Amino acid sequence: MAKQEVKFEDKMKELENIISELENGEIDLDQSIEKYTRAMKLVKECNEKLKSVEEQVSKMVTEDGTIEDFEMENSQQ
Amino acid sequence: MNEDKYLSIGALTRYLKAKFDGDANLRTVFLKGEISNFKAHTSGHFYFSLKDETSKINAIMFASKARLINFTPMDGSKVLVTGRVSVYEATGSYQIYVDEMMEDGVGNLYIAFEKLKKELAKEGLFDAKYKKPIPKIPEKIGIITASTGAAIRDIISTIRRRFPYAETYLFPCLVQGEFAKDDIVKKIKQASDYDIDVLIVGRGGGSIEDMWPFNEEIVARAIFDCPIPVISAVGHEIDFTIADFVADLRAPTPTGAAEMAVPNMNDLITHLQQLQIRLNEAVNNHINKYQMQLNHLKDSYVLKNPMIMFDNKKQRLMLLEERINENLKRKVEYERLHLDHLKKSYIFKNPEVLFEPALNQLKVFQETLQRQITSHIKNRNQYLQYQIEKLEVVNPLHILNKGYNVAYQNGCLIKSVEQIKDKDLSLHFQDGVIYATVDKIEKEKREWQSKK
């Protein structure tokens, strides 16, 4: 499995940190613009990720390590 | 006739009850038997009998104790009970008051469970410091449970409902039976090799024997050693297994585990929207703050009236000028006053007082000098007189008055005849001089002269 570039959770954490920093107001204007730009990028990325998501197919890892799609029997039950 | 010896029923019963209660052996009784005539009263109390092949005893379990048992008792259940035996006065029957009751057969399992739990706790496997944090937004979720049954269905459907974004990876395994524990351990190790954010390990409800694999030591250690955070989800709310104690998080049910594992998508979207609002507000506040500062600076008096800077300098210059003039004037005035003052001063008007001491001194000197000179002259005069008198005494001319004379030749006094070289000789007397001529010289010896 290819490792993902940055985890969603880490993006959210970074975003929350930037907002806290901005809310504290202890940074100068140039920095705040820079942070804002970064934060907006994160918001966009997170939003896109959440909205673009198709329902994932469940997988099953077999005994020998191969990954197959997993269909639940009676999933409608 | 003597009725005193007849007891009342109550008295007898109280006597018997006291006998029962006084017997230490009856205070804690362990009984093994089968339940019959089981009745669960609406109050929560259980009324039943315990019997074996030969005997039978009535039993009561009060609601406070009955609530704690984790199986459903019914007629025919083989049970192990702990309680005390006493007499119920109303019916005069003895019975057992049950404190604890468990299914027989699983009794040994309980002992094993408690023993292992104690050991692992002592070893620190349940310590909070080893609990790994569960990620808030996992993207890949591993599930170790049976591929069929309610558990996997509940977990996957809950995850899909809450957070379709997450990928689920099932590691199918046996969850009951003698091979289950090894299979569970194997799958936990296999899952560790995958890039998984959180692992759910569990199964649905069942009998204590069914759930037993999750009470096995090797399963507990596999969970403890697993590098991925583990959520345990075994059976129902009331079922506690060793796996639950050692897991990083215990879920009451498989559904609960799925809810704990993933956030609600809608909550997340709302949260993200709120973050965006906060971000914009924070930045706007930030910019407004700087804008206000800038406006404030722009509005400042100095920037609006730049000449004010020079005005101030000019004013200051004038002020300094004035002060210099003032100072000068004051200085001159002061000096003049000083001069006037001097002019009016006694010294200035009577400068002689300055010399007076010197003059006095001089006068003293003069007087002293005068005195000394006068005295000196007087001394000298006295000395002179004295010398004159002395001279008078030795004046040879006095001798002349007595008739002697003195002879001179060529201006020299003649004291001896041997001095006579010429004929001319002057003889000086008191009252005049005779100029004579030497005719003859006769030298004579005088005794007295030599004696002298």
Side-chain angles (χ1 to χ4, degrees):
Chain A
M1 288 184 179
K3 186 105 182 155
Q4 267 187 319
E5 66 292 14
V6 182
K7 297 222 177 219
F8 190 89
E9 184 172 359
D10 294 335
K11 284 185 182 177
M12 291 291 278
K13 267 185 198 150
E14 191 189 344
L15 182 57
E16 281 166 16
N17 287 340
I18 290 175
I19 292 171
S20 297
E21 271 184 275
L22 286 172
E23 282 173 341
N24 285 338
E26 294 301 328
I27 49 177
D28 64 44
L29 193 61
D30 288 345
Q31 250 186 323
S32 70
I33 299 299
E34 205 176 284
K35 299 257 178 202
Y36 177 73
T37 313
R38 171 75 186 144
M40 280 312 287
K41 188 164 168 272
L42 288 169
V43 167
K44 195 168 156 246
E45 282 174 8
C46 289
N47 257 331
E48 274 172 6
K49 228 168 183 182
L50 284 181
K51 279 170 186 164
S52 71
V53 141
E54 295 289 319
E55 188 164 289
Q56 297 280 349
V57 178
S58 300
K59 310 280 189 191
M60 181 167 73
V61 184
T62 63
E63 213 63 32
D64 59 13
T66 54
I67 298 172
E68 302 169 351
D69 285 353
F70 174 66
E71 282 301 325
M72 286 191 290
E73 92 284 9
N74 311 325
S75 55
Q76 73 278 16
Q77 200 203 0
Chain B
M1 288 304 286
N2 188 357
E3 287 186 14
D4 285 353
K5 62 184 178 186
Y6 296 95
L7 291 170
S8 69
I9 309 300
L12 175 65
T13 311
R14 277 195 297 280
Y15 174 79
L16 286 171
K17 183 173 164 58
K19 279 280 177 194
F20 271 85
D21 293 347
D23 187 332
N25 287 328
L26 296 180
R27 269 183 225 143
T28 311
V29 175
F30 298 93
L31 269 189
K32 182 176 170 171
E34 189 186 308
I35 293 175
S36 63
N37 297 326
F38 183 83
K39 281 191 198 84
H41 194 264
T42 48
S43 62
H45 307 329
F46 292 164
Y47 299 94
F48 53 98
S49 304
L50 288 172
K51 63 171 186 179
D52 57 16
E53 295 75 26
T54 56
S55 302
K56 188 174 154 184
I57 182 174
N58 287 333
I60 175 167
M61 193 169 193
F62 291 120
S64 60
K65 310 284 188 189
R67 201 167 355 105
L68 299 178
I69 69 171
N70 58 359
F71 68 100
T72 313
M74 56 188 81
D75 288 350
S77 295
K78 295 210 172 7
V79 291
L80 299 171
V81 302
T82 311
R84 68 188 166 87
V85 176
S86 187
V87 171
Y88 182 52
E89 290 174 53
T91 59
S93 55
Y94 69 92
Q95 57 183 359
I96 181 161
Y97 293 81
V98 179
D99 290 325
E100 285 173 23
M101 176 160 68
M102 51 189 156
E103 288 180 284
D104 193 9
V106 298
N108 292 335
L109 291 181
Y110 270 104
I111 292 162
F113 173 87
E114 286 299 334
K115 189 162 159 273
L116 180 61
K117 187 178 151 192
K118 208 173 280 177
E119 276 173 15
L120 296 184
K122 204 172 155 194
E123 214 181 303
L125 262 68
F126 308 154
D127 287 2
K129 64 178 173 184
Y130 295 123
K131 304 291 183 200
K132 289 181 277 294
I134 307 300
K136 286 199 183 75
I137 311 170
E139 292 169 49
K140 294 195 173 72
I141 297 156
I143 305 156
I144 296 178
T145 192
S147 61
T148 57
I152 185 64
R153 211 165 50 228
D154 289 349
I155 292 171
I156 287 180
S157 61
T158 305
I159 289 174
R160 282 188 183 165
R161 173 169 51 77
R162 284 173 64 86
F163 195 58
Y165 178 72
E167 298 169 42
T168 52
Y169 292 88
L170 170 66
F171 296 83
C173 78
L174 300 171
V175 291
Q176 64 192 67
E178 58 175 321
F179 303 113
K181 58 182 179 182
D182 293 323
D183 202 23
I184 296 167
V185 170
K186 196 171 106 191
K187 297 297 175 174
I188 290 173
K189 286 182 177 158
Q190 189 188 10
S192 305
D193 293 336
Y194 289 80
D195 177 32
I196 283 169
D197 299 319
V198 63
L199 196 58
I200 297 172
V201 179
R203 56 156 290 148
S207 71
I208 182 141
E209 288 95 336
D210 287 346
M211 292 189 285
W212 201 254
F214 294 91
N215 284 325
E216 295 286 356
E217 185 173 351
I218 56 166
V219 172
R221 292 195 184 279
I223 291 172
F224 183 78
D225 292 337
C226 181
I228 303 166
V230 173
I231 301 175
S232 70
V234 185
H236 299 300
E237 182 89 45
I238 55 160
D239 299 320
F240 267 91
T241 61
I242 299 291
D244 290 324
F245 291 112
V246 77
D248 298 301
L249 185 66
R250 184 234 173 202
T253 60
T255 303
E259 281 169 351
M260 286 172 170
V262 296
N264 189 317
M265 186 76 160
N266 292 332
D267 290 350
L268 202 60
I269 289 170
T270 310
H271 183 55
L272 195 59
Q273 281 165 351
Q274 277 165 352
L275 282 182
Q276 201 173 346
I277 291 168
R278 268 174 63 194
L279 175 64
N280 285 330
E281 271 176 9
V283 150
N284 282 339
N285 285 343
H286 214 64
I287 290 171
N288 282 344
K289 196 181 82 186
Y290 281 104
Q291 186 69 53
M292 263 163 64
Q293 275 177 11
L294 187 61
N295 288 345
H296 184 69
L297 289 175
K298 275 201 300 203
D299 287 348
S300 74
Y301 190 63
V302 170
L303 276 189
K304 284 201 163 176
N305 304 282
M307 285 315 284
I308 190 111
M309 287 188 285
F310 299 104
D311 286 353
N312 280 343
K313 300 272 184 235
K314 240 164 32 189
Q315 241 174 24
R316 175 138 179 82
L317 187 62
M318 267 156 59
L319 206 74
L320 287 173
E321 229 172 66
E322 258 171 49
R323 261 167 57 183
I324 285 176
N325 285 339
E326 195 106 332
N327 275 337
L328 266 176
K329 250 193 271 176
R330 239 199 330 255
K331 183 83 181 156
V332 168
E333 186 68 18
Y334 175 76
E335 292 301 339
R336 202 170 55 214
L337 278 175
H338 192 57
L339 191 58
D340 286 353
H341 185 69
L342 283 177
K343 275 191 202 161
K344 282 177 199 155
S345 73
Y346 177 73
I347 294 275
F348 197 81
K349 287 197 165 173
N350 304 283
E352 61 274 14
V353 298
L354 285 175
F355 310 115
E356 204 158 24
L359 283 175
N360 286 340
Q361 185 90 44
L362 187 58
K363 215 160 127 194
V364 171
F365 284 157
Q366 267 177 348
E367 279 168 5
T368 309
L369 189 61
Q370 192 65 52
R371 221 171 27 244
Q372 280 176 349
I373 286 174
T374 312
S375 158
H376 194 69
I377 291 172
K378 203 170 146 196
N379 280 348
R380 285 288 103 183
N381 273 338
Q382 278 174 353
Y383 183 70
L384 189 59
Q385 202 59 47
Y386 174 67
Q387 291 300 326
I388 290 170
E389 277 168 20
K390 253 169 76 181
L391 265 180
E392 279 307 319
V393 170
V394 295
N395 192 347
L397 294 177
H398 285 307
I399 301 171
L400 297 183
N401 289 340
K402 293 177 181 170
Y404 301 92
N405 62 67
V406 278
Y408 291 89
Q409 190 171 58
N410 298 331
C412 294
L413 182 63
I414 301 300
K415 292 179 177 178
S416 165
V417 288
E418 286 171 14
Q419 281 179 283
I420 305 291
K421 310 286 189 218
D422 283 335
K423 281 193 231 171
D424 294 330
L425 193 69
S426 59
L427 301 174
H428 290 254
F429 291 85
Q430 177 203 348
D431 52 352
V433 183
I434 299 169
Y435 298 98
T437 310
V438 177
D439 290 334
K440 188 184 169 190
I441 299 169
E442 196 177 313
K443 196 174 173 183
E444 77 179 37
K445 239 183 187 136
R446 284 192 181 157
E447 291 298 322
W448 60 274
Q449 253 185 335
S450 58
K451 277 183 188 169
K452 205 177 173 185

